[in-house]
Each structure stands twice: as C-alpha cells, then as structure tokens.
Amino acid sequence: MTLAHEALLYATMDEFLAGTTEFVAAGVPTLVAVPEPRLSALGSSPSVQLVDMADVGRNPARILPWVLCAFLDANPGPVRVVCETIYPGRTEAELGPCVQHEALINLALAERPVSLLCPYDVSLLTPSALSFAERTHRVLVSSGSRRPSPSYTDPAKVVAMVNRPLPEPARVDERLVFDLQGLAGVRRLVAEHALVAGLVPERVDDLQLAVTEICTNAVVHDGDGLGTLRLWTEEDLVVCEVRGAGQISDIMAGRVLPSPERPHGRGLLMVNRLCDLVQMHTGPTGTRTRLSMRLSAN
Amino acid sequence: MSDTQSDSRSAQLVLRPLSDQMGFAASGEIDASNRPVLATALSELVSGDGDVHLDLGQVKFVDVGTATLLVSTARRLTDGRQLLLHHPPYELSLMFTTLWPGTATIETDQT
C-alpha cells in the first residue's frame, strides 16, 4: 500500500461528518487534524488521535515533518489521516504555504502506507483555494462519490505556481545588513524588537534561533556573504525577513527529517517547528524568507 | 525606521580547560562564526583518550550546526568512550530529541 491523498469537498457539518465518520472508524491508527468546531464533532475512539489543526498546523510548513511524519513514524504499518490544512479563516499569507504543503505531501509520502483525506469547505473557501485542491489531490470526494481530479498537477509545478514575490509591508521598523560575524548582532536586534512588540521571552529565544538559522543560510552558501534583515510588526505578528543571494533548489528542504548520519538539512526543519508562519520566495536573484510569530500564541 | 550597519559585536566564545576532567567549560554564544573554534578543540580531545566532557552551563546560544557538530563528535568516539555534556541549554536538548530522535549518542546531565 502506498499514499492515497484525496480531497473531501463538503458544504455543511453534516456533509463533513458523513464524509469522515466512516473513514476514521476503520480501526487502523488514525490521526484527525482539523480545527474546531469539527474537531469536537468527531467522536474519539482508542485508535483515533485528535489534534487541533489551528494549533499544531498554524504554520503549514510544520505539518509535514512534525505532525504527519511524526505520526507515521510512531505508527508503522497502514494508517489514516484526516488533515484539514486549508480551512476557512486561513489568511492570504498562509494560503501559499498551505498549497505548497499539500503538493509536497505527494512527494514526501509517496511510498508511505497512509490514506490521507483532506476536507475542504466549498461553501466558505475561495475559488482559488478550491482550484488548488484539485491540483494537489488525485481524487475528489463529494456527496459520497469519488472521481479523479481533472487538474491534478505535478507537485514541483504547483510549488512553482505559489513561489510568488512577497507583498511589501506597510512599514519596516528595523533594517540590518549583516555578514557571518554579525549573526550575534542579528540576534540582539531581533530580541530587542520582539520584546518591545510583546512576544513572551521563551518565544523570543525560539525566534532568535530561527532567524539565526535562516541568516546563516543566507551568508554561508552563495553570493557576497551579505544578508539583509528587516523587522516589523503587523496586527498580531512579529515579522523577521531575511534576504540572501542564494536560490533554494530543493523543494523538500525543511519538510523531511534527514537520516541521522547526514550532517545537513535540519536548520529549516527547526525553523518550521518553531515559527507560526514561514513564507519564502526564491529565484535566481536570491531568496527572501519571512518568519512570523503570533503575539497571542504560546 | 532605523538603518543599522553590520554589527561588529560578533559572537564571543571562551573555552576553558576543565581542571579534573578531559574537556572544556564553554561560555558565550556558538554560531557559524565561531563554531570552527569548538570543532578544532573537540577534534583534539577525540584524538586523545577517555571520555570527553563539555560544560555548557555558561553558553547563552547554540544553533543547529552546533548540535550537528556535537552529534558527529560523539559518533567519532569509539571503544566505549563518550561525549558527556553538562548543563546543556534547553534548546540543545530539544534539538537532540527532535532532530535526531532515537539516537542516544550523547550523554547529558545537569551536574
């Protein structure tokens, strides 16, 4: 058995329950990662693990390594997952990373014995979000019937479609040009900015580590050894943006744990674990990575 | 908006030999700018005898590359020799358990 990755198109709670209840009652180890109120609507059973997608999956790049692969590794053998990544309430900024995540599932889990059902609320999600559901799932399920998706697209092409320039912020509070020797200065500036914004000290530590990882990548791999850091706040978010000269060619970077003896490939995994949102735009002229922390999250 | 030039205050790392064990007490911050210093010091200890001790109680920051260096150092020790970390920062323990799950190559303690 290998990956099955299907989209469940529902418009009401009844349709959601009709499409998922039987799926989770198969008796095999099952993970349900959906937001409220649907999480509470699905009854629990010994073989079902329930997690709130709005919490564990608030950073879409976190879901693959730290939710899905973690569950698969803990449960060898066939498993099922209900995974509502793109739910009403996702912000515009989160949508691109969500689509990227849905596409990368098709590569990362291709040989794993997992059946994934991804609910999409067709009454509230945008036409754009729903069109990507058809590009990232081979099978669409609605009203009890299954049909092949007419527009399933190669995952690398989907990733390229959402690799878009990031919108400019309304205001930037700090800007710092740094080199390898300036990583400590980067951390100090990030801490000052985040503490003033109101981020709790433990998460300031997390943000310092995450920004250090991205800044290290920006100055050691390619280009002139210089990176640019920009810091600002918007609504509930502290945002740190790092620009470096290199292009990221590995679309799976930060999504799958490397084998223990491999010396590279863990920095971005840690970043994805710690941050509330990771946005990236990469191309021949460089890479811009935007890390956000929610002031209201723990 | 303030526009700041590259900070000249780079990460400071001090390694002091332990008086009663083979190893160092480290203090400061460890990142890609000064990690080679630690790598060289650890290499010299690996080529010696006995367990290797590293007291990290005064270390304020470590990055993922530092965790990788410590894992690879531990793997280079043979014949029952161990890398023993004393007072590892919380972030380092988190990196070991999440990024190298199920591979207990490093002994850590709080003493």
Side-chain angles (χ1 to χ4, degrees), chain A residues 92-112:
Chain A
E92 190 66 28
E94 292 167 350
L95 198 58
C98 282
V99 170
Q100 188 182 27
H101 157 76
E102 285 277 41
L104 292 176
I105 282 176
N106 297 313
L107 296 177
L109 305 182
E111 303 301 324
R112 305 291 291 265

PDB file of all heavy atoms in Angstrom, chain A residues 92-112:
ATOM      1  N   GLU A  92      -4.506  35.189   3.845  1.00  0.00           N
ATOM      2  CA  GLU A  92      -3.953  35.191   2.491  1.00  0.00           C
ATOM      3  C   GLU A  92      -2.474  34.780   2.528  1.00  0.00           C
ATOM      4  O   GLU A  92      -2.006  34.026   1.666  1.00  0.00           O
ATOM      5  CB  GLU A  92      -4.112  36.596   1.887  1.00  0.00           C
ATOM      6  CG  GLU A  92      -3.800  36.689   0.413  1.00  0.00           C
ATOM      7  CD  GLU A  92      -4.792  35.912  -0.456  1.00  0.00           C
ATOM      8  OE1 GLU A  92      -5.941  35.759  -0.036  1.00  0.00           O
ATOM      9  OE2 GLU A  92      -4.375  35.455  -1.541  1.00  0.00           O
ATOM     10  N   ALA A  93      -1.758  35.245   3.544  1.00  0.00           N
ATOM     11  CA  ALA A  93      -0.328  34.931   3.655  1.00  0.00           C
ATOM     12  C   ALA A  93      -0.097  33.438   3.886  1.00  0.00           C
ATOM     13  O   ALA A  93       0.925  32.881   3.471  1.00  0.00           O
ATOM     14  CB  ALA A  93       0.295  35.737   4.796  1.00  0.00           C
ATOM     15  N   GLU A  94      -1.048  32.776   4.551  1.00  0.00           N
ATOM     16  CA  GLU A  94      -0.883  31.348   4.862  1.00  0.00           C
ATOM     17  C   GLU A  94      -1.230  30.453   3.683  1.00  0.00           C
ATOM     18  O   GLU A  94      -0.814  29.295   3.630  1.00  0.00           O
ATOM     19  CB  GLU A  94      -1.780  30.966   6.061  1.00  0.00           C
ATOM     20  CG  GLU A  94      -1.345  31.580   7.385  1.00  0.00           C
ATOM     21  CD  GLU A  94      -2.407  31.436   8.469  1.00  0.00           C
ATOM     22  OE1 GLU A  94      -3.546  31.028   8.174  1.00  0.00           O
ATOM     23  OE2 GLU A  94      -2.107  31.766   9.614  1.00  0.00           O
ATOM     24  N   LEU A  95      -2.016  30.987   2.743  1.00  0.00           N
ATOM     25  CA  LEU A  95      -2.564  30.134   1.689  1.00  0.00           C
ATOM     26  C   LEU A  95      -1.470  29.523   0.796  1.00  0.00           C
ATOM     27  O   LEU A  95      -1.500  28.323   0.504  1.00  0.00           O
ATOM     28  CB  LEU A  95      -3.569  30.923   0.842  1.00  0.00           C
ATOM     29  CG  LEU A  95      -4.499  30.056   0.015  1.00  0.00           C
ATOM     30  CD1 LEU A  95      -5.301  29.095   0.896  1.00  0.00           C
ATOM     31  CD2 LEU A  95      -5.446  30.923  -0.808  1.00  0.00           C
ATOM     32  N   GLY A  96      -0.499  30.338   0.370  1.00  0.00           N
ATOM     33  CA  GLY A  96       0.585  29.821  -0.473  1.00  0.00           C
ATOM     34  C   GLY A  96       1.341  28.686   0.209  1.00  0.00           C
ATOM     35  O   GLY A  96       1.503  27.599  -0.357  1.00  0.00           O
ATOM     36  N   PRO A  97       1.826  28.910   1.453  1.00  0.00           N
ATOM     37  CA  PRO A  97       2.486  27.815   2.165  1.00  0.00           C
ATOM     38  C   PRO A  97       1.586  26.586   2.364  1.00  0.00           C
ATOM     39  O   PRO A  97       2.076  25.452   2.361  1.00  0.00           O
ATOM     40  CB  PRO A  97       2.860  28.453   3.515  1.00  0.00           C
ATOM     41  CG  PRO A  97       3.043  29.906   3.196  1.00  0.00           C
ATOM     42  CD  PRO A  97       1.992  30.213   2.154  1.00  0.00           C
ATOM     43  N   CYS A  98       0.275  26.804   2.519  1.00  0.00           N
ATOM     44  CA  CYS A  98      -0.650  25.665   2.653  1.00  0.00           C
ATOM     45  C   CYS A  98      -0.685  24.840   1.361  1.00  0.00           C
ATOM     46  O   CYS A  98      -0.635  23.603   1.395  1.00  0.00           O
ATOM     47  CB  CYS A  98      -2.069  26.161   2.956  1.00  0.00           C
ATOM     48  SG  CYS A  98      -2.364  26.648   4.651  1.00  0.00           S
ATOM     49  N   VAL A  99      -0.790  25.533   0.232  1.00  0.00           N
ATOM     50  CA  VAL A  99      -0.842  24.841  -1.062  1.00  0.00           C
ATOM     51  C   VAL A  99       0.478  24.091  -1.297  1.00  0.00           C
ATOM     52  O   VAL A  99       0.485  22.932  -1.751  1.00  0.00           O
ATOM     53  CB  VAL A  99      -1.112  25.854  -2.200  1.00  0.00           C
ATOM     54  CG1 VAL A  99      -0.912  25.196  -3.556  1.00  0.00           C
ATOM     55  CG2 VAL A  99      -2.520  26.428  -2.078  1.00  0.00           C
ATOM     56  N   GLN A 100       1.578  24.752  -0.968  1.00  0.00           N
ATOM     57  CA  GLN A 100       2.893  24.119  -1.113  1.00  0.00           C
ATOM     58  C   GLN A 100       2.947  22.827  -0.292  1.00  0.00           C
ATOM     59  O   GLN A 100       3.404  21.781  -0.774  1.00  0.00           O
ATOM     60  CB  GLN A 100       3.965  25.107  -0.648  1.00  0.00           C
ATOM     61  CG  GLN A 100       5.381  24.645  -0.917  1.00  0.00           C
ATOM     62  CD  GLN A 100       6.393  25.647  -0.380  1.00  0.00           C
ATOM     63  OE1 GLN A 100       6.118  26.380   0.563  1.00  0.00           O
ATOM     64  NE2 GLN A 100       7.563  25.660  -0.985  1.00  0.00           N
ATOM     65  N   HIS A 101       2.439  22.909   0.939  1.00  0.00           N
ATOM     66  CA  HIS A 101       2.397  21.727   1.808  1.00  0.00           C
ATOM     67  C   HIS A 101       1.570  20.604   1.183  1.00  0.00           C
ATOM     68  O   HIS A 101       2.000  19.443   1.149  1.00  0.00           O
ATOM     69  CB  HIS A 101       1.832  22.120   3.172  1.00  0.00           C
ATOM     70  CG  HIS A 101       1.238  20.986   3.931  1.00  0.00           C
ATOM     71  ND1 HIS A 101       2.012  20.036   4.567  1.00  0.00           N
ATOM     72  CD2 HIS A 101      -0.058  20.619   4.121  1.00  0.00           C
ATOM     73  CE1 HIS A 101       1.206  19.137   5.115  1.00  0.00           C
ATOM     74  NE2 HIS A 101      -0.037  19.462   4.876  1.00  0.00           N
ATOM     75  N   GLU A 102       0.396  20.938   0.670  1.00  0.00           N
ATOM     76  CA  GLU A 102      -0.469  19.915   0.064  1.00  0.00           C
ATOM     77  C   GLU A 102       0.237  19.246  -1.122  1.00  0.00           C
ATOM     78  O   GLU A 102       0.135  18.028  -1.321  1.00  0.00           O
ATOM     79  CB  GLU A 102      -1.793  20.539  -0.394  1.00  0.00           C
ATOM     80  CG  GLU A 102      -2.773  20.865   0.728  1.00  0.00           C
ATOM     81  CD  GLU A 102      -3.593  19.646   1.148  1.00  0.00           C
ATOM     82  OE1 GLU A 102      -3.022  18.532   1.232  1.00  0.00           O
ATOM     83  OE2 GLU A 102      -4.805  19.791   1.407  1.00  0.00           O
ATOM     84  N   ALA A 103       0.960  20.049  -1.919  1.00  0.00           N
ATOM     85  CA  ALA A 103       1.670  19.484  -3.073  1.00  0.00           C
ATOM     86  C   ALA A 103       2.824  18.577  -2.627  1.00  0.00           C
ATOM     87  O   ALA A 103       3.027  17.490  -3.191  1.00  0.00           O
ATOM     88  CB  ALA A 103       2.195  20.614  -3.959  1.00  0.00           C
ATOM     89  N   LEU A 104       3.563  19.016  -1.604  1.00  0.00           N
ATOM     90  CA  LEU A 104       4.751  18.259  -1.180  1.00  0.00           C
ATOM     91  C   LEU A 104       4.392  16.933  -0.521  1.00  0.00           C
ATOM     92  O   LEU A 104       5.200  16.000  -0.510  1.00  0.00           O
ATOM     93  CB  LEU A 104       5.615  19.115  -0.249  1.00  0.00           C
ATOM     94  CG  LEU A 104       6.280  20.316  -0.931  1.00  0.00           C
ATOM     95  CD1 LEU A 104       7.044  21.162   0.084  1.00  0.00           C
ATOM     96  CD2 LEU A 104       7.215  19.867  -2.052  1.00  0.00           C
ATOM     97  N   ILE A 105       3.170  16.830   0.030  1.00  0.00           N
ATOM     98  CA  ILE A 105       2.708  15.544   0.569  1.00  0.00           C
ATOM     99  C   ILE A 105       2.848  14.458  -0.496  1.00  0.00           C
ATOM    100  O   ILE A 105       3.259  13.325  -0.213  1.00  0.00           O
ATOM    101  CB  ILE A 105       1.235  15.655   1.031  1.00  0.00           C
ATOM    102  CG1 ILE A 105       1.148  16.362   2.382  1.00  0.00           C
ATOM    103  CG2 ILE A 105       0.579  14.271   1.110  1.00  0.00           C
ATOM    104  CD1 ILE A 105      -0.286  16.592   2.857  1.00  0.00           C
ATOM    105  N   ASN A 106       2.516  14.821  -1.755  1.00  0.00           N
ATOM    106  CA  ASN A 106       2.528  13.830  -2.841  1.00  0.00           C
ATOM    107  C   ASN A 106       3.930  13.299  -3.126  1.00  0.00           C
ATOM    108  O   ASN A 106       4.075  12.191  -3.649  1.00  0.00           O
ATOM    109  CB  ASN A 106       1.924  14.447  -4.104  1.00  0.00           C
ATOM    110  CG  ASN A 106       0.459  14.823  -3.892  1.00  0.00           C
ATOM    111  OD1 ASN A 106      -0.319  14.033  -3.376  1.00  0.00           O
ATOM    112  ND2 ASN A 106       0.105  16.043  -4.257  1.00  0.00           N
ATOM    113  N   LEU A 107       4.956  14.082  -2.788  1.00  0.00           N
ATOM    114  CA  LEU A 107       6.339  13.608  -2.952  1.00  0.00           C
ATOM    115  C   LEU A 107       6.846  12.936  -1.676  1.00  0.00           C
ATOM    116  O   LEU A 107       7.387  11.828  -1.713  1.00  0.00           O
ATOM    117  CB  LEU A 107       7.266  14.788  -3.294  1.00  0.00           C
ATOM    118  CG  LEU A 107       7.010  15.511  -4.616  1.00  0.00           C
ATOM    119  CD1 LEU A 107       7.966  16.698  -4.748  1.00  0.00           C
ATOM    120  CD2 LEU A 107       7.187  14.560  -5.787  1.00  0.00           C
ATOM    121  N   ALA A 108       6.637  13.617  -0.548  1.00  0.00           N
ATOM    122  CA  ALA A 108       7.247  13.149   0.701  1.00  0.00           C
ATOM    123  C   ALA A 108       6.674  11.817   1.165  1.00  0.00           C
ATOM    124  O   ALA A 108       7.389  10.986   1.731  1.00  0.00           O
ATOM    125  CB  ALA A 108       7.068  14.208   1.786  1.00  0.00           C
ATOM    126  N   LEU A 109       5.384  11.609   0.947  1.00  0.00           N
ATOM    127  CA  LEU A 109       4.734  10.411   1.489  1.00  0.00           C
ATOM    128  C   LEU A 109       4.371   9.400   0.397  1.00  0.00           C
ATOM    129  O   LEU A 109       3.609   8.463   0.653  1.00  0.00           O
ATOM    130  CB  LEU A 109       3.467  10.812   2.269  1.00  0.00           C
ATOM    131  CG  LEU A 109       3.663  11.836   3.391  1.00  0.00           C
ATOM    132  CD1 LEU A 109       2.342  12.091   4.111  1.00  0.00           C
ATOM    133  CD2 LEU A 109       4.728  11.393   4.378  1.00  0.00           C
ATOM    134  N   ALA A 110       4.931   9.576  -0.802  1.00  0.00           N
ATOM    135  CA  ALA A 110       4.532   8.750  -1.952  1.00  0.00           C
ATOM    136  C   ALA A 110       4.629   7.261  -1.671  1.00  0.00           C
ATOM    137  O   ALA A 110       3.783   6.479  -2.115  1.00  0.00           O
ATOM    138  CB  ALA A 110       5.382   9.110  -3.172  1.00  0.00           C
ATOM    139  N   GLU A 111       5.637   6.854  -0.906  1.00  0.00           N
ATOM    140  CA  GLU A 111       5.845   5.423  -0.660  1.00  0.00           C
ATOM    141  C   GLU A 111       5.411   4.993   0.739  1.00  0.00           C
ATOM    142  O   GLU A 111       5.756   3.899   1.175  1.00  0.00           O
ATOM    143  CB  GLU A 111       7.330   5.079  -0.872  1.00  0.00           C
ATOM    144  CG  GLU A 111       7.879   5.446  -2.247  1.00  0.00           C
ATOM    145  CD  GLU A 111       7.120   4.761  -3.381  1.00  0.00           C
ATOM    146  OE1 GLU A 111       6.699   3.609  -3.199  1.00  0.00           O
ATOM    147  OE2 GLU A 111       6.918   5.424  -4.430  1.00  0.00           O
ATOM    148  N   ARG A 112       4.715   5.866   1.453  1.00  0.00           N
ATOM    149  CA  ARG A 112       4.295   5.524   2.813  1.00  0.00           C
ATOM    150  C   ARG A 112       2.880   4.940   2.778  1.00  0.00           C
ATOM    151  O   ARG A 112       2.041   5.384   1.989  1.00  0.00           O
ATOM    152  CB  ARG A 112       4.323   6.763   3.735  1.00  0.00           C
ATOM    153  CG  ARG A 112       5.664   7.501   3.778  1.00  0.00           C
ATOM    154  CD  ARG A 112       6.761   6.706   4.469  1.00  0.00           C
ATOM    155  NE  ARG A 112       6.559   6.566   5.904  1.00  0.00           N
ATOM    156  CZ  ARG A 112       7.120   7.383   6.813  1.00  0.00           C
ATOM    157  NH1 ARG A 112       7.873   8.397   6.438  1.00  0.00           N
ATOM    158  NH2 ARG A 112       6.922   7.176   8.104  1.00  0.00           N
TER     159      ARG A 112
END
